[in-house]
Amino acid sequence: MANKEKQAENKEKIGIGAWLALIVLILVLSGAFRTAEGPIKVLDFTNLAGSFGQIGDTGANLIGKGGTGAKDGFMAGFNLIPAVMFFCGLLGVFEQLGAFKASDILFRPLLRPLLGIPGKCGIAFISSFTGSDVAAVMTRELYEDGEITDDERTIFVAYQYAGSACINNTITGGAPLVAICPVALGPCIVIMFVCKLIGANIVRLILRAKRGKA
């Protein structure tokens, strides 16, 4: 009875503001406005995070050009810190606006049958298409807050890091291959998405089989 009252209370708190916050957050993380022009480009997380030290058309930045070895890897990781810190602050704002509660309702019918994870993973699920670092931060916070179990975290991580950030990496890293690829960009991304789902569900079956033996 207490659980039903608590669920009813949570549902009452989800108003139009929470749904609007969820829509804005999904747009910000989806990458839909990454190449937009004008003020609307602020609806993209990459544009909000900004860039640092670019030099003309060479694209050189804090990481530099032509680096190898441990130093290059350290600078690449160091370059992610400002964006991750900014994203943690952004998450705090949208959490207070009720975006996470709305995402639980919206994504529960999708994520529970597809991956066996709760709807609260929905925002991380969307962000994983364009950035693995942001999705990783969200997944860790969901686990530490007790929103997902260890098995659910394992399944979700298996989904995320196979073909990590498939949309962003396909468009950027795979751009030279697009011209010679006999298949359009859209079907390539769909194939990667399906394979990610298959891989995550294989892990899901393995974990279920282990629980059965235990």
Side-chain angles (χ1 to χ4, degrees), residues 90-149:
L90 198 66
L91 275 187
V93 172
F94 280 96
E95 184 177 6
Q96 292 300 316
L97 292 173
F100 283 7
K101 293 178 181 178
S103 74
D104 187 22
I105 295 175
L106 179 65
F107 288 100
R108 190 185 306 156
L110 174 67
L111 294 182
R112 184 58 74 182
L114 277 181
L115 294 170
I117 58 178
K120 289 186 177 180
C121 298
I123 298 174
F125 178 77
I126 294 295
S127 65
S128 69
F129 285 98
T130 55
S132 57
D133 48 343
V134 169
V137 171
M138 292 193 64
T139 305
R140 186 196 67 186
E141 290 186 353
L142 286 167
Y143 176 71
E144 291 178 349
D145 293 343
E147 302 292 350
I148 57 175
T149 65

Side-chain angles (χ1 to χ4, degrees), residues 1 4 14 20 49-50 52-53 59 63 79 84 86 89 106 109 115 124 127 136-137 150 154 167 172 198 203 208 214:
M1 184 69 177
K4 289 183 179 179
I14 302 175
L20 288 175
F52 181 81
I63 301 174
N79 198 43
V84 172
F86 170 65
L106 179 65
L115 294 170
S127 65
V137 171
D150 185 51
T154 302
I167 293 178
T172 55
I198 293 172
V203 173
R208 184 176 295 178

Side-chain angles (χ1 to χ4, degrees), residues 20-191:
L20 288 175
L22 176 62
I23 291 170
V24 172
L25 184 56
I26 289 174
L27 289 174
V28 167
L29 297 176
S30 67
F33 296 96
R34 185 173 183 180
T35 58
E37 298 293 337
I40 199 172
K41 68 188 300 183
V42 300
L43 286 176
D44 180 75
F45 175 74
T46 304
N47 294 332
L48 283 172
S51 56
F52 181 81
Q54 287 190 343
I55 304 173
D57 297 328
T58 61
N61 52 32
L62 180 63
I63 301 174
K65 295 181 67 179
T68 58
K71 289 183 178 180
D72 186 49
F74 175 81
M75 293 309 295
F78 184 74
N79 198 43
L80 295 174
I81 294 176
V84 172
M85 291 176 63
F86 170 65
F87 179 73
C88 288
L90 198 66
L91 275 187
V93 172
F94 280 96
E95 184 177 6
Q96 292 300 316
L97 292 173
F100 283 7
K101 293 178 181 178
S103 74
D104 187 22
I105 295 175
L106 179 65
F107 288 100
R108 190 185 306 156
L110 174 67
L111 294 182
R112 184 58 74 182
L114 277 181
L115 294 170
I117 58 178
K120 289 186 177 180
C121 298
I123 298 174
F125 178 77
I126 294 295
S127 65
S128 69
F129 285 98
T130 55
S132 57
D133 48 343
V134 169
V137 171
M138 292 193 64
T139 305
R140 186 196 67 186
E141 290 186 353
L142 286 167
Y143 176 71
E144 291 178 349
D145 293 343
E147 302 292 350
I148 57 175
T149 65
D150 185 51
D151 283 357
E152 289 170 343
R153 178 181 62 169
T154 302
I155 295 167
F156 197 22
V157 169
Y159 165 81
Q160 288 181 40
Y161 285 93
S164 177
C166 58
I167 293 178
N168 189 51
N169 288 334
T170 301
I171 293 173
T172 55
L177 300 177
V178 173
I180 61 173
C181 183
V183 182
L185 191 62
C188 289
I189 294 174
V190 170
I191 290 170

